[in-house]
Amino acid sequence: MELLPPWSSFLLAAALFLVAVLLLQRRSSKHKLPPGPRPWPVIGNLNLIGPLPHRSLHELSARYGPLMSLRLGSFPAVVGSSADMARFFLKTHDLAFLDRPRLSGGRHIFYDFSDMLWAPYGAYWRQARKLLQAELLNATRLRDTEHVRDEEVRTAVCALQRAASASAAGAVVLNDHLAMVSLGVISRMALGKKYVVEGGGGGSPVPPEEFRWMVHELFFLGGVLGVGDFIPWVDWLDLQGYVKRMKKLRRMLDRFLDHVVDEHGERRRREGEGFVPRDMVDLLLQLADDPNLEVPIERDGIKALTLDLIAAGTDTSAVSVEWALSELLRNPEAMAKATEELDRVVGRDRFVVEADIPNLPFLEAIVKETMRLHPVAPLLAPRVSREDTSVDGHDIPAGTRVLVNVWAIGRDPALWGDDAEEFRPERLVGSGVDVKGHDMELLPFGAGRRMCPGIGLGLKMVQVTLANLLHAFAWRLPDGVAAEELSMEEKFGLSMPRAVPLVAVIEPKLPAHLYDEFR
């Protein structure tokens, strides 16, 4: 039998694809979908999504409404851009929208969806969520590791003081210092020691600059819009090169995580029955040996959950602190109020500790206001509807991808007034609105069953880091940079960092001996 020439095979595949598209469109016509732009063949509405998808979707929702229907390549999607729609997807009908799309990042980076973020809804995900919440990130464990956060923040303060002294103008670039705080905390809490330290050492198989690159790459690739994720029949082409980068990153992360797991396993074997878990990896290894687990946790599962902890505890808090300082440098009155509160409550003879935070309502309001305007995840991780549902007379068929635009909700004038675009912490002082998933107008950590389990750690990290930086230093912009000229452009990924790293001039305010304590 003679084989068809290659071009004939392509035409046949294209014809079959067009037939499938027509059948899908015919099927979708049975549903009364929410309003939305008319999709193009093959690409759907992907042509309308720019480099900052949360802004593109916000502009579209202003035209089509707070519940909008799109077609993203081969997949139907809806976007919720109001507190009411967030409540529908994340609270009242949470169970119907608990699944995740099977995207390239979850497959190639997170060990074939073995982590908690990208795992499909089911017994494995429920078990992982329970382990993280009840065993690894509970209130007792956070309380027991408070000294770790205090020490790492003070170490960063001293490092910043040295960096400013070494600069003729006293200027420092913040992001690397903030990243090292977060990395130090999560390394000690999750991995038991600082595997990544300046100058090498610590038993780390990678130098710190390489590890920081891996974290940045992880957050970038975790948020990219890969063509193959939306048009599966071209996935094998890897048109943007993202899959190749994901596989490279996975190999590098795998080498590091294998080192960590092997080192912890060796200590368990060495100590035998006298073994006592010291960190989160120890706990994961111990829990994985539990014969009563509903679903066994394999080695890849341990590495995937460890990667979740690293990802959740590094870039996210550093990004929030950098945005908070950026806003305060543009708003001198808010900066003055924050420093006055710190001086009054803490004094000038010590650093801030976590026990001080409840007595710093304006600082807490600054953190909330920062998360309102600059949520780390402007679009919550996408969900997939598990069953047919309807809302406000519109149908959402099973299999529809669901996006909640937290960035748009945080800037909604109907919720926040005509000054919704302005940084004004006063609006949240004494307010009952919180970030813990109960108030749909402020959702930096999401809500419902898929809410970020690391909210307790994340909040503590942002609050205590920001408080100490404001308390330890006087802040201003470099000479020649006016507050209104400070760039506030952002980059999109799994997190939303500044497009241009923040540079500021700092001057120590506390007694000199405090800055020498953690050299």
Side-chain angles (χ1 to χ4, degrees):
M1 180 177 176
E2 186 178 352
L3 295 175
L4 291 171
W7 60 267
S8 299
S9 301
F10 176 80
L11 288 176
L12 178 61
L16 290 173
F17 174 74
L18 288 174
V19 170
V21 168
L22 291 172
L23 289 174
L24 284 172
Q25 289 179 340
R26 185 175 179 184
R27 180 184 176 190
S28 66
S29 66
K30 298 178 182 178
H31 298 281
K32 185 181 179 182
L33 301 178
R38 186 182 182 89
W40 286 74
V42 182
I43 65 171
N45 301 119
L46 288 176
N47 60 306
L48 302 178
I49 310 300
L52 299 174
H54 55 289
R55 291 182 178 268
S56 300
L57 295 175
H58 177 53
E59 292 173 4
L60 289 169
S61 67
R63 187 185 315 168
Y64 294 103
L67 180 65
M68 175 176 60
S69 178
L70 297 174
R71 188 157 197 91
L72 301 178
S74 305
F75 300 97
V78 293
V79 181
S81 300
S82 70
D84 287 341
M85 288 301 101
R87 183 175 294 105
F88 175 80
F89 291 123
L90 308 180
K91 296 291 284 187
T92 59
H93 288 72
D94 185 31
L95 195 59
F97 300 102
L98 280 178
D99 225 338
R100 293 285 196 217
R102 298 180 70 81
L103 303 181
S104 299
R107 177 178 296 108
H108 297 299
I109 301 175
F110 288 92
Y111 294 88
D112 201 21
F113 314 101
S114 296
D115 70 320
M116 202 192 83
L117 176 62
W118 294 112
Y121 177 71
Y124 180 85
W125 174 80
R126 289 194 298 269
Q127 178 177 272
R129 174 175 173 263
K130 182 179 179 181
L131 292 178
L132 285 176
Q133 289 183 329
E135 302 290 345
L136 303 181
L137 295 169
N138 59 48
T140 300
R141 190 157 299 280
L142 291 181
R143 187 168 56 250
D144 291 344
T145 54
E146 179 180 345
H147 69 284
V148 171
R149 295 185 291 278
D150 283 342
E151 290 169 8
E152 291 302 319
V153 169
R154 295 177 191 186
T155 298
V157 167
C158 296
L160 275 169
Q161 191 271 337
R162 293 195 300 275
S165 298
S167 168
V172 293
V173 181
L174 268 295
N175 57 3
D176 277 349
H177 291 279
L178 295 174
M180 288 305 293
V181 176
S182 303
L183 184 56
V185 168
I186 204 64
S187 292
R188 292 174 63 184
M189 286 181 61
L191 312 181
K193 68 179 182 180
K194 294 176 74 169
Y195 278 83
V196 181
V197 294
E198 296 295 346
S204 172
V206 295
E209 61 274 10
E210 184 175 321
F211 192 85
R212 286 198 293 266
W213 177 87
M214 289 194 293
V215 171
H216 291 320
E217 188 80 343
L218 171 65
F219 276 85
F220 170 75
L221 293 174
V224 295
L225 298 179
V227 172
D229 285 329
F230 299 98
I231 308 174
W233 58 283
V234 301
D235 185 37
W236 64 279
L237 293 171
D238 190 19
L239 295 170
Q240 298 147 293
Y242 290 151
V243 171
K244 181 180 179 180
R245 288 173 64 176
M246 289 176 185
K247 290 179 177 178
K248 175 184 176 182
L249 176 63
R250 162 71 177 270
R251 289 193 296 271
M252 295 174 70
L253 287 169
D254 200 48
R255 185 171 66 247
F256 174 76
L257 292 169
D258 271 332
H259 175 89
V260 171
V261 172
D262 287 344
E263 193 169 63
H264 282 70
E266 175 58 31
R267 187 173 72 82
R268 290 185 76 210
R269 288 188 291 273
R270 193 168 58 246
E271 296 183 6
E273 294 183 0
F275 171 78
V276 177
R278 300 178 187 174
D279 54 62
M280 294 178 181
V281 174
D282 280 343
L283 277 168
L284 279 173
L285 288 167
Q286 187 177 63
L287 292 166
D289 287 342
D290 185 350
N292 298 317
L293 286 179
E294 184 177 359
V295 182
I297 301 178
E298 306 294 342
R299 183 181 176 90
D300 278 356
I302 293 171
K303 291 189 288 186
L305 293 171
T306 302
L307 185 55
D308 270 352
L309 294 168
I310 293 172
T314 50
D315 202 49
T316 50
S317 57
V319 164
S320 291
V321 173
E322 190 175 21
W323 278 121
L325 290 169
S326 301
E327 289 287 6
L328 289 169
L329 285 164
R330 297 173 74 234
N331 294 271
E333 290 186 7
M335 176 80 80
K337 286 183 181 180
T339 54
E340 185 279 327
E341 180 182 69
L342 285 160
D343 287 345
R344 175 168 38 84
V345 173
V346 180
R348 288 286 187 99
D349 59 350
R350 66 178 178 87
F351 288 116
V352 184
V353 295
E354 289 182 7
D356 294 318
I357 300 300
N359 300 318
L360 300 168
F362 193 73
L363 180 106
E364 289 191 88
I366 288 171
V367 171
K368 290 181 185 179
E369 183 75 343
T370 300
M371 291 180 173
R372 177 182 75 84
L373 289 172
H374 307 284
V376 171
L379 297 175
L380 297 183
R383 301 185 177 206
V384 174
S385 56
R386 301 170 56 233
E387 59 191 49
D388 290 348
T389 56
S390 60
V391 57
D392 294 342
H394 298 293
D395 298 325
I396 302 175
T400 301
R401 295 186 178 183
V402 177
L403 296 171
V404 177
N405 194 341
V406 171
W407 185 90
I409 295 170
R411 294 167 183 255
D412 185 351
L415 298 172
W416 301 101
D418 293 337
D419 61 352
E421 297 282 342
E422 297 178 15
F423 180 79
R424 198 167 62 80
E426 294 85 356
R427 77 174 86 234
L428 287 163
V429 175
S431 168
V433 176
D434 213 329
V435 298
K436 298 179 180 178
H438 306 298
D439 302 297
M440 297 299 106
E441 56 265 58
L442 192 58
L443 294 169
F445 297 95
R449 294 173 178 85
R450 282 278 189 180
M451 182 177 180
C452 174
I455 177 175
L457 175 59
L459 270 179
K460 289 179 184 296
M461 280 298 303
V462 173
Q463 290 168 341
V464 77
T465 303
L466 178 62
N468 275 288
L469 293 178
L470 293 175
H471 191 49
F473 301 106
W475 294 78
R476 65 177 177 85
L477 290 170
D479 293 339
V481 180
E484 60 272 14
E485 296 174 350
L486 180 63
S487 170
M488 299 296 279
E489 294 181 8
E490 61 214 14
K491 294 190 296 186
F492 186 84
L494 200 57
S495 66
M496 188 180 70
R498 288 176 52 87
V500 180
L502 178 63
V503 178
V505 177
I506 59 174
E507 297 177 7
K509 294 193 302 183
L510 303 180
H513 70 87
L514 292 177
Y515 301 93
D516 295 328
E517 185 178 356
F518 283 84
R519 283 187 181 275

